[in-house]
Amino acid sequence: MKRELLFFLIVCCLAQFVNGQSDFSKDYRNFPLIITLQFHSFSMPFKNMKSNFSNIGIGIGTEVSHNGNHNWVQQFNLVWYRNKNVGNGLFLYSQAVWRPTITNNFYTELKLGAGYMLTSRPTQSFKQENDTWVPVGKKGKALFAIPVGVSIGHNNYSEKTYVSPFASYQFIVLKGYNKSIPIVPETLLQVGSRVHFNN
């Protein structure tokens, strides 16, 4: 736990001390293809990390710059994950992303956004009607979500199509899970790439 917290604090400190003048005035291209591999966990941040790797998913997205450069963008993502313990999910969200350069085209990211998580139940569920339990199936519900994330990555610039690999850790707060637990935490460990196509 202490090691993960230290890593998080180092990333945040690096983001505070980078030189804003090096924030990518190079040939930024809107609407790259963002492809991610997801590892989902129903847990607090940096808790039960091993469980993430048994719950895999995929994601697709894109982004648009707020200022014409890489350092301030809005991302849009659609993620599907499989989790046999708490149910599968489909997550549609958008995040504002601050992406300062660390050195030699390596960068870090701080992300904050909102979206909706469509969750399913892992097994058949029941509800009580007139003293009788009636099946309601595996159908889940749509929950309002707030994802907060940190990332590290590398921009491999080229005049032609180029790929920018990254790794992200997202903490997600879900609202409206059920009456007894209205707010629940989830995490996503993500690895992927942005593909910036030749204009």
Side-chain angles (χ1 to χ4, degrees), residues 10-165:
I10 289 171
V11 170
C12 291
C13 288
L14 284 173
Q16 291 294 326
F17 292 109
V18 293
N19 183 355
Q21 298 301 315
S22 62
D23 276 331
F24 308 129
S25 58
K26 304 178 182 179
D27 190 29
Y28 177 74
R29 301 168 203 168
N30 281 321
F31 303 109
L33 176 64
I34 302 174
I35 300 173
T36 51
L37 190 63
Q38 320 287 325
F39 300 96
H40 176 262
S41 179
F42 186 82
S43 65
M44 292 294 289
F46 304 109
K47 293 280 189 180
N48 199 19
M49 295 288 284
K50 291 180 181 179
S51 70
N52 282 74
F53 296 100
S54 60
N55 305 312
I56 195 166
I58 55 173
I60 188 169
T62 192
E63 68 181 32
V64 179
S65 175
H66 288 289
N67 60 5
N69 296 327
H70 282 264
N71 65 325
W72 181 237
V73 301
Q74 190 72 32
Q75 290 186 340
F76 305 91
N77 292 283
L78 179 64
V79 167
W80 173 86
Y81 65 83
R82 177 185 174 276
N83 191 318
K84 62 182 180 181
N85 295 319
V86 298
N88 302 337
L90 188 65
F91 187 23
L92 177 65
Y93 66 100
S94 178
Q95 285 180 303
V97 180
W98 181 46
R99 182 186 293 146
T101 304
I102 300 173
T103 182
N104 294 331
N105 294 336
F106 284 93
Y107 64 85
T108 185
E109 292 180 330
L110 297 178
K111 306 180 179 186
L112 176 64
Y116 277 93
M117 179 89 72
L118 181 62
T119 63
S120 63
R121 296 182 174 95
T123 59
Q124 176 72 276
S125 297
F126 299 84
K127 65 178 180 179
Q128 194 170 18
E129 289 184 359
N130 300 325
D131 297 328
T132 304
W133 289 99
V134 178
V136 294
K138 291 187 178 182
K139 184 179 177 182
K141 60 172 72 174
L143 307 173
F144 178 71
I146 299 175
V148 179
V150 293
S151 306
I152 55 173
H154 182 264
N155 279 309
N156 185 19
Y157 293 107
S158 171
E159 292 182 1
K160 299 180 180 179
T161 297
Y162 66 90
V163 174
S164 296

Side-chain angles (χ1 to χ4, degrees), residues 2-16:
K2 290 182 180 179
R3 188 167 34 197
E4 289 88 354
L5 182 59
L6 180 61
F7 172 75
F8 177 75
L9 292 174
I10 289 171
V11 170
C12 291
C13 288
L14 284 173
Q16 291 294 326

